[in-house]
């Protein structure tokens, strides 16, 4: 029998609840490694506010070096009011890391569990059955454009190039081919030149390379409304950096808690990806064992699938999470009483049940 494969995982706990939720995900990954005979070697490094406190730099060079050499990177969260008004912002670390790693595609999937649909602020009939994924371009746009500031004037330049749009469009269309075959491209082409270019390029890539995928265009302001009125109509949502940031946070509440949603930031094939929950650092509950670890655990599942090619292992984690949520074993943000560690342990117990059932060829039926 060949020796177990060892995967090098850089862990960036970051700020606030980041250390707690990444610890939960590492515990789950360790169990997966035991079941499937893999080894995960975790190496922690600094980013964000914690890095500013320790080094004065939100992204120390050694962190970048370690991330580029890893098989994948797992991130907790960055930021918090502690660093407001400082010379450096924690968020600089995350933006800089995305750029350094060449991560141009941010994937944010959302599936609304039937057992949690009642937790949504919207009616059950609107959100139940929602299954969509946002493809957000990650290294261009207004977040990375030239910035100026004087006493009475500030500017942020929004820039996109044809190659930047082409590569994120192709990624979205390829995923749509594996799902329900529909892409909704979101822009502001009635006002912005970058959006007009975006629409032209997406339309061309569709016609030349993916004609069997359904394509529709939507303006970002109307899309914000449609995602609340009829979210079940959408499959793959493709959009630029700032619009994707805003819309993906909007849809996070459809499932009842922002703590449930994972994300994957990917670059070219073969390069390490960055995986993180979409929630923030939640400094008000940091260190209190109250944070929901599910978004980070599901981010670890995305890491197994997209960076390590371990589909069965990823599906096992997702099945265990679904079982735990169905059983009502949830944290306070979902109306439960479990702490962060207890919620992670519940997922681990679910994994053990799934593994035992698979070993004995028993079909599991969850309540």
């Amino acid at each position: 029998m060949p020796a177990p494969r060892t995967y090098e995982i850089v862990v960036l706990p970051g700020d606030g609840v980041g250390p707690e939720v990444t610890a939960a995900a590492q515990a789950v990954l360790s169990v997966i490694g035991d079941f499937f005979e893999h080894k995960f070697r975790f190496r922690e490094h600094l980013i964000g506010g914690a890095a500013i406190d320790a080094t004065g730099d939100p992204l120390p060079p050694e962190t970048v070096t370690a991330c580029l050499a890893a098989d994948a990177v797992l991130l907790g969260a960055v930021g918090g009011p502690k660093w407001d008004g400082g010379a450096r912002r924690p968020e600089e670390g995350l933006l800089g890391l995305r750029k350094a790693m060449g991560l141009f595609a941010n994937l944010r999937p959302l599936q609304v569990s039937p057992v949690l649909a009642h937790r949504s602020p919207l009616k059950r009939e609107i959100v139940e059955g929602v299954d969509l994924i946002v493809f957000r371009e990650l290294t261009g746009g207004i977040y990375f454009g030239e910035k100026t500031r004087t006493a009475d004037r500030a500017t942020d330049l929004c820039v996109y190039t044809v190659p930047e749009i082409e590569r994120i469009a192709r990624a979205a269309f390829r995923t749509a081919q594996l799902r329900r075959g529909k892409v909704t491209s979101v822009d502001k082409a009635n006002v912005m030149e970058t959006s007009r270019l975006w629409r032209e390029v997406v339309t061309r890539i569709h016609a030349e390379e993916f004609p069997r995928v359904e394509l529709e265009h939507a303006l970002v302001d109307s899309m914000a409304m449609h995602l609340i009125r009829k979210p079940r109509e959408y499959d793959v949502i493709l959009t630029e950096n700032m619009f994707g940031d805003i819309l993906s946070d909007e849809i996070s509440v459809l499932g009842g808690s922002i703590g449930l949603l994972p994300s994957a930031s990917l670059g070219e094939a073969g390069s390490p990806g960055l995986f993180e929950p979409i929630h923030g650092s939640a400094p008000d509950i940091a260190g209190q064992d109250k944070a929901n670890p599910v978004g980070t655990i599901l981010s670890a599942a995305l890491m197994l699938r997209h960076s390590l090619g371990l589909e069965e292992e990823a599906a096992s984690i997702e099945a265990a999470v679904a079982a735990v949520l169905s059983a009502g074993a949830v944290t306070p943000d979902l109306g439960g009483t479990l702490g962060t560690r207890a919620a992670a342990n519940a997922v681990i117990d679910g994994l053990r049940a799934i593994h035992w059932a698979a070993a004995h060829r028993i079909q599991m039926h969850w309540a």
Side-chain angles (χ1 to χ4, degrees):
M1 179 180 293
R5 167 76 188 273
T6 298
Y7 296 96
E8 302 288 340
I9 310 299
V10 167
V11 179
L12 307 175
D15 309 319
V17 299
E20 298 168 76
V21 294
T22 52
Q26 287 178 75
V28 172
L29 286 170
S30 294
V31 172
I32 282 288
D34 291 341
F35 287 161
F36 289 89
E37 299 186 344
H38 306 305
K39 291 185 177 179
F40 299 104
R41 183 179 293 125
F42 302 109
R43 306 293 193 195
E44 288 196 2
H45 287 272
L46 293 168
I47 194 171
I52 292 173
D53 289 347
T55 71
D57 186 346
L59 184 63
E62 52 268 30
T63 295
V64 176
T65 299
C67 291
L68 293 176
D71 291 307
V73 180
L74 181 67
L75 171 70
V78 297
K82 175 182 177 181
W83 300 279
D84 287 348
R88 305 294 301 274
R89 290 287 304 170
E91 293 78 9
E92 291 178 43
L94 180 54
L95 294 177
L97 184 60
R98 289 170 177 169
K99 199 75 171 181
M101 295 179 67
L103 305 174
F104 66 85
N106 182 241
L107 286 60
R108 295 188 172 186
L110 171 68
Q111 293 178 313
V112 178
S113 166
V115 298
L116 291 178
H118 71 284
R119 299 293 306 178
S120 173
L122 303 182
K123 295 179 180 178
R124 174 183 289 271
E125 56 266 30
I126 294 176
V127 300
E128 191 168 1
V130 168
D131 180 4
L132 58 82
I133 182 168
V134 176
F135 271 71
R136 168 190 170 193
E137 201 289 324
L138 206 55
T139 60
I142 201 165
Y143 290 174
F144 287 96
E146 180 182 350
K147 304 177 188 303
T148 67
R149 176 74 181 269
T150 65
D152 58 358
R153 186 172 183 267
T155 66
D156 293 278
L157 183 63
C158 185
V159 178
Y160 267 110
T161 66
V162 168
E164 287 174 329
I165 302 169
E166 287 178 335
R167 64 184 182 180
I168 188 68
R170 290 190 178 103
F173 282 123
R174 290 190 192 107
T175 295
Q177 288 177 319
L178 303 175
R179 290 173 52 93
R180 302 196 303 276
K182 179 182 178 181
V183 170
T184 304
S185 180
V186 180
D187 57 42
K188 190 63 177 169
N190 60 334
V191 175
M192 298 173 62
E193 282 300 327
T194 48
S195 282
R196 294 184 184 113
L197 177 65
W198 182 280
R199 184 172 293 205
E200 291 170 7
V201 173
V202 170
T203 300
R204 174 174 57 79
I205 293 295
H206 171 252
E208 294 176 354
E209 302 179 31
F210 303 93
R212 295 186 179 181
V213 175
E214 179 186 352
L215 171 65
E216 66 176 1
H217 297 281
L219 297 175
V220 64
D221 42 356
S222 61
M223 189 65 181
M225 175 181 66
H226 294 323
L227 283 171
I228 298 300
R229 292 182 57 247
K230 49 180 183 179
R232 286 187 296 188
E233 293 190 10
Y234 298 101
D235 181 18
V236 175
I237 297 171
L238 165 65
T239 190
E240 57 104 80
N241 205 341
M242 184 173 69
F243 297 161
D245 190 7
I246 296 168
L247 292 179
S248 58
D249 279 359
E250 178 190 17
I251 66 169
S252 70
V253 302
L254 299 182
S257 171
I258 196 171
L260 295 173
L261 268 66
S263 77
S265 298
L266 306 176
E268 300 294 346
S271 61
L274 173 68
F275 302 86
E276 60 179 308
I278 78 165
H279 63 68
S281 61
D284 57 317
I285 59 170
Q288 300 177 41
D289 193 39
K290 292 181 179 179
N292 188 341
V294 167
T296 314
I297 292 170
L298 290 177
S299 296
L302 293 179
M303 180 185 75
L304 295 177
R305 174 175 295 121
H306 292 288
S307 275
L308 309 185
L310 303 177
E311 174 59 35
E312 184 179 358
E313 292 86 336
S316 295
I317 290 179
E318 291 164 347
V321 167
V324 166
L325 296 179
S326 295
V330 293
T331 43
D333 56 312
L334 291 169
T337 59
L338 292 187
T340 306
R341 290 186 293 272
N345 288 336
V347 174
I348 290 170
D349 289 342
L351 281 171
R352 292 190 175 118
I354 291 169
H355 185 73
W356 183 89
H360 293 81
R361 297 183 180 180
I362 296 174
Q363 180 69 42
M364 300 296 291
H365 297 281
W366 302 103

